[in-house]
Amino acid sequence: MVSRWKAEFLERSSMVFEKGSSEVDKIRKEYEIKQENLEKLVGQLTVEVDWLKKI
């Protein structure tokens, strides 16, 4: 059973690494966009809290 899995992996191993890089880039880009939006929100909320403290 293990030898069959190994043979199948060796046949298809190139496909695993080819598909992974584009999907990883897509996920990384989505993460960076989300992170940027959260940082903007934190900055906006910080300014609002500071403004409310002054009043």
Side-chain angles (χ1 to χ4, degrees):
M1 184 82 146
V2 173
S3 62
R4 189 177 78 190
W5 289 343
K6 181 181 175 183
E8 185 176 341
F9 173 75
L10 292 175
E11 288 175 11
R12 298 181 182 180
S13 63
S14 63
M15 292 188 310
V16 170
F17 296 111
E18 288 174 3
K19 290 181 182 177
S21 64
S22 64
E23 291 178 21
V24 168
D25 290 340
K26 180 180 176 184
I27 292 170
R28 181 179 293 136
K29 190 170 188 175
E30 289 174 1
Y31 173 79
E32 288 174 354
I33 291 171
K34 184 176 180 180
Q35 186 74 21
E36 184 177 314
N37 289 336
L38 289 173
E39 288 174 359
K40 286 180 185 178
L41 181 60
V42 167
Q44 178 183 357
L45 292 174
T46 302
V47 169
E48 290 177 6
V49 166
D50 290 343
W51 183 77
L52 289 171
K53 284 181 181 179
K54 290 180 182 178
I55 293 178

